Amino acid sequence: MAKEKVCLAYSGGLDTSCILAWLIEEGYSVICFMADVGQEEDFEAAKEKALKIGAEKVYIEDLRREFIEELCFPAVQCNAIYENVYLLGTSLARPVIARGQIAVAQREGCVAVSHGCTGKGNDQVRFELAFYALQPSIKVIAPWRIPAFYNRFAGRNDLLDYAAKVGIPVSQTKAKPWSMDENLAHCSYEAGILEDPDTTPPEDMWKLTIDPVEAPDEPEDFVLSFEKGIPTKLEYQESKGSKKKTVTDSVELFLAVNAIARRHGVGRIDIVENRFIGLKSRGCYETPGLTCLRAAHIDLEGLVLDREVRALRDQFVTFNYAKILYNGLYFSPEREFLDAAIAASQKSVNGQVRCRVYKGTFSVLGRSSATESLYDATESSMDEIGSSFEPADTTGFIAVQAIRLKKYGATKTGDDEKKAAK
């Protein structure tokens, strides 16, 4: 009788390598799925490892373009951010990975999909909600929630011992027990010594960015252009005096901005966040290019976006889009609704931003738009009256605004007098 097939989200790391061996022990035929979302990974070596462990097949799918264009750019358009600091690098990648995995599972006739997410984290929720939205009948095998698995492997040290016993090569060691997750947008670090929120991350932990202290002593300038809120062009020089380069392809643009930010130490954060399942978690993140793209986009909006549209977007769309991404609800009607709102809010976000990175910081040197005209230097100038604005009109504006506050002030005065009389 043929074995049931399972499609495993495989990374080549400790957890999924051990899970692959365990699934085979359990009698499954395993199809491994690897998503290239821009992580610096030796995919062929990981494929060879999976086949050596016993995988029937290994699929490696390049999902970088859809990751950037369908997830990262909409996040830039709405300035998505979680708890004021986290740019959602991990959350952004999960929908395209889950969609790719389901496609392979369907192609191979798999009865189930599996993953290596812990029973305490957000990713188990993100992946599984996506699986069920994409294929409601799919079965999910989550080893870290199965007693037979987690009682056998109580933690990473047990996995390291098991890997050594069965001959699975892994890069993680007991000396460096933190867990990493990398994609084109960022790299995250958690667990191990990082679980103490007062422990300073060791400098050799950071993989993507140079220490800002060691970054070049000269700033680097570049220009980002946006159309309807989407980054469409990057202009920069690779070195001082070299010929100016122009990049318009979405993947190449993202890679180039990443490279600029990385060599100047931009995008490091160290936070304690609130996980969807209710636990607090300490995480360290490097998000170099996305930090620059989001900051430049925010700046351009100040020039070209209507005040009330921006306020409504900030209060409703930005917060809820980030929450939806973080909580794993990308494949949902509410996300589709917000996508439409994002597109509507970005019709006028066209222009360019002159940017600078220097020793871990990003700053804006200037911004302009050839098509949008909300900003009028004559009206705003302190040195001339302007043609369409009469300063005297402000008297009436202030008077109307003061009606409510005068009532409030009189009420407060009356209350104070009553208190004094008592």
Side-chain angles (χ1 to χ4, degrees), residues 10 88 91 96 143 216 233 293 299 379 406 413:
Y10 184 72
L88 300 156
S91 317
V96 292
K233 184 167 68 174
L293 292 172
D299 183 85
E379 289 181 343
K406 286 180 177 180
T413 303

Side-chain angles (χ1 to χ4, degrees), residues 374-387:
L374 290 182
Y375 179 82
D376 187 325
T378 350
E379 289 181 343
S380 303
S381 175
M382 297 297 181
D383 296 323
E384 56 183 298
I385 300 298
S387 59

Side-chain angles (χ1 to χ4, degrees), residues 405-419:
L405 296 179
K406 286 180 177 180
K407 298 278 188 186
Y408 171 73
T411 303
K412 292 289 286 184
T413 303
D415 289 343
D416 289 343
E417 289 174 351
K418 287 177 184 179
K419 287 178 183 177

Side-chain angles (χ1 to χ4, degrees), residues 13 20 40 71 77 105 112 129 168 172 174 189 251 292 302 310 313 347:
L20 169 57
E40 294 175 355
L71 274 300
Q77 285 180 296
L129 291 181
I168 300 172
Q172 188 184 45
K174 293 180 182 179
Y189 310 87
V251 176
C292 296
R310 185 175 191 176
R313 193 279 317 277
K347 293 176 183 177

Side-chain angles (χ1 to χ4, degrees), residues 64-357:
R64 293 177 301 163
R65 187 169 301 278
E66 60 191 85
F67 173 46
I68 293 165
E69 295 178 355
E70 297 181 32
L71 274 300
C72 292
F73 281 176
V76 170
Q77 285 180 296
C78 74
N79 305 323
I81 192 166
Y82 183 73
E83 295 188 337
N84 301 312
V85 281
Y86 175 42
L87 298 189
L88 300 156
T90 300
S91 317
L92 288 166
R94 294 325 187 210
V96 292
I97 296 172
R99 186 168 60 194
Q101 186 175 356
I102 285 292
V104 167
Q106 291 172 339
R107 200 180 313 162
E108 287 290 333
C110 296
V111 299
V113 289
S114 184
H115 59 74
C117 306
T118 73
K120 293 183 178 181
N122 292 313
D123 275 346
Q124 59 180 336
V125 180
R126 293 168 182 154
F127 276 119
E128 294 183 34
L129 291 181
F131 294 151
Y132 292 131
L134 294 164
Q135 187 177 331
S137 61
I138 196 69
K139 176 184 175 184
V140 177
I141 300 173
W144 285 113
R145 300 202 307 269
I146 298 173
F149 185 88
Y150 66 68
N151 286 330
R152 180 178 177 184
F153 306 109
R156 280 179 163 73
N157 285 343
D158 290 335
L159 289 174
L160 287 165
D161 292 338
Y162 175 70
K165 179 181 176 182
V166 299
I168 300 172
V170 291
S171 60
Q172 188 184 45
T173 67
K174 293 180 182 179
K176 293 185 178 181
W178 53 76
S179 175
M180 295 169 54
D181 179 79
E182 183 186 0
N183 59 49
L184 196 60
H186 89 157
C187 189
S188 67
Y189 310 87
E190 62 180 6
I193 62 170
L194 300 177
E195 289 176 352
D196 179 353
D198 199 30
T199 294
T200 302
E203 188 52 42
D204 65 349
M205 178 195 77
W206 304 102
K207 178 182 178 183
L208 300 183
T209 58
I210 190 172
D211 184 340
V213 175
E214 302 298 326
D217 292 328
E218 291 291 325
E220 184 170 353
D221 299 343
F222 55 97
V223 180
L224 284 167
S225 296
F226 294 83
E227 293 179 14
K228 296 182 178 179
I230 294 172
T232 55
K233 184 167 68 174
L234 166 69
E235 298 168 272
Y236 72 108
Q237 292 175 290
E238 287 189 323
S239 59
K240 204 169 184 179
S242 65
K243 187 178 178 182
K244 185 173 76 172
K245 297 188 69 173
T246 299
V247 182
T248 56
D249 177 78
S250 60
V251 176
E252 292 178 7
L253 184 152
F254 209 104
L255 286 167
V257 177
N258 257 347
I260 292 169
R262 288 175 67 168
R263 59 178 171 257
H264 290 273
V266 173
R268 290 186 182 186
I269 63 168
D270 178 351
I271 62 173
V272 175
E273 68 200 70
N274 290 293
R275 288 178 175 169
F276 185 28
I277 63 170
L279 301 175
K280 285 189 180 290
S281 170
R282 193 268 188 95
C284 299
Y285 302 98
E286 292 176 286
T287 317
L290 192 57
T291 296
C292 296
L293 292 172
R294 179 180 181 272
H297 176 265
I298 289 173
D299 183 85
L300 179 61
E301 285 190 327
L303 179 71
V304 300
L305 189 58
D306 177 81
R307 180 184 72 177
E308 297 305 317
V309 171
R310 185 175 191 176
L312 284 170
R313 193 279 317 277
D314 288 349
Q315 294 164 29
F316 181 72
V317 179
T318 299
F319 171 79
N320 284 289
Y321 199 78
K323 183 180 176 183
I324 283 169
L325 284 169
Y326 190 84
N327 292 348
L329 297 166
Y330 181 81
F331 296 104
S332 65
E334 59 267 35
R335 191 274 305 168
E336 292 182 0
F337 167 72
L338 290 181
D339 266 354
I342 291 170
S345 75
Q346 295 296 289
K347 293 176 183 177
S348 66
V349 185
N350 307 299
Q352 64 177 30
V353 182
R354 294 188 295 110
C355 312
R356 170 171 288 176
V357 285

